[in-house]
Amino acid sequence: MKKVVEYTNVTYHYDSREERDEHVEYMESDGWECSGQIKETLSLHDNEFVWCGKFTKYTQ
């Protein structure tokens, strides 16, 4: 058996766009890929959006 690839997904919520942008820069410098999504809803029944960052890191 041989592991081909492993990946980790993480999602963060932020209080502001500035906080998100600073954290995205840090995560990308540490080898994480950002999905580019900047906001998401907390519920399908709620129109309230939060700042978010979704990241993936691949290892072999």
Side-chain angles (χ1 to χ4, degrees), residues 1 24-25 32 42 47 49 52 57 59:
M1 173 179 10
V24 167
E25 187 175 320
W32 292 85
L42 297 177
N47 286 334
F49 291 88
C52 74
K57 192 170 194 176
T59 56

Side-chain angles (χ1 to χ4, degrees), residues 39-53:
K39 284 191 171 183
E40 70 180 3
T41 60
L42 297 177
S43 166
L44 293 175
H45 306 289
D46 189 2
N47 286 334
E48 182 179 347
F49 291 88
V50 295
W51 296 104
C52 74

Side-chain angles (χ1 to χ4, degrees), residues 2 7-8 10-11 19 22 25 29 49:
K2 177 182 174 187
Y7 63 94
T8 304
V10 295
T11 300
E19 181 183 27
E22 288 177 13
E25 187 175 320
S29 73
F49 291 88

Side-chain angles (χ1 to χ4, degrees), residues 1-47:
M1 173 179 10
K2 177 182 174 187
K3 178 171 65 171
V4 177
V5 69
E6 179 179 336
Y7 63 94
T8 304
N9 289 315
V10 295
T11 300
Y12 292 90
H13 288 168
Y14 307 99
D15 294 327
S16 69
R17 173 70 186 254
E18 294 77 18
E19 181 183 27
R20 180 203 175 273
D21 291 347
E22 288 177 13
H23 191 243
V24 167
E25 187 175 320
Y26 168 77
M27 293 292 281
E28 289 178 335
S29 73
D30 192 38
W32 292 85
E33 289 183 27
C34 181
S35 72
Q37 183 173 345
I38 61 171
K39 284 191 171 183
E40 70 180 3
T41 60
L42 297 177
S43 166
L44 293 175
H45 306 289
D46 189 2
N47 286 334

